[in-house]
Amino acid sequence: MNSTDPVSGYQAYDQSPGPGRRARNQAAGRRTALAICTIADAAAVFLGLWIVLYLLDANQANPFVEFVRGTADWLSGWAQDIFTMDTEGLRVVLNYGLPAVIYLLIGHGIAARLNRA
């Protein structure tokens, strides 16, 4: 028995991947890209929903509104009070809108890069 493979079933370093492996890697990359897009979109939806609820003067004591605000505060914690405006509505739009746009740009950029690989 003359085999350079140390253990059967494992690929040696100098061998190219088989035809099925490339397809599996592409499928895994697409699934990962889809997950990243979904997470980025969900983050942007929560931030956008909080902006809309705030601008429409939603009841702050409502449990749903409290949940959305808490989630939006957590997602935009790194960007709180970047903009300090006299108009409260504009301050909320800018301080929560900027993280939403950044999440979308970064998430979809990473997903596009994974889909190209």
Side-chain angles (χ1 to χ4, degrees):
M1 188 168 197
N2 190 8
S3 175
T4 58
D5 194 11
V7 179
S8 65
Y10 289 95
Q11 177 181 348
Y13 291 109
D14 60 346
Q15 292 178 347
S16 63
R21 180 168 291 204
R22 174 117 172 105
R24 283 192 306 254
N25 288 344
Q26 284 180 337
R30 287 194 178 114
R31 282 192 303 269
T32 304
L34 179 62
I36 290 171
C37 276
T38 303
I39 291 168
D41 291 347
V45 164
F46 273 108
L47 291 164
L49 184 58
W50 168 243
I51 292 170
V52 169
L53 289 172
Y54 183 84
L55 293 176
L56 293 177
D57 200 27
N59 180 7
Q60 300 284 326
N62 183 290
F64 176 71
V65 176
E66 287 178 0
F67 172 73
V68 171
R69 181 179 185 176
T71 304
D73 283 341
W74 182 77
L75 288 169
S76 66
W78 57 270
Q80 285 298 318
D81 297 326
I82 287 179
F83 302 101
T84 55
M85 307 287 180
D86 292 334
T87 308
E88 188 68 18
L90 182 60
R91 185 189 65 79
V92 169
V93 168
L94 291 175
N95 284 324
Y96 289 93
L98 176 67
V101 170
I102 290 174
Y103 284 133
L104 286 174
L105 288 175
I106 291 174
H108 285 263
I110 291 171
R113 177 79 173 145
L114 286 172
N115 277 331
R116 271 187 252 135

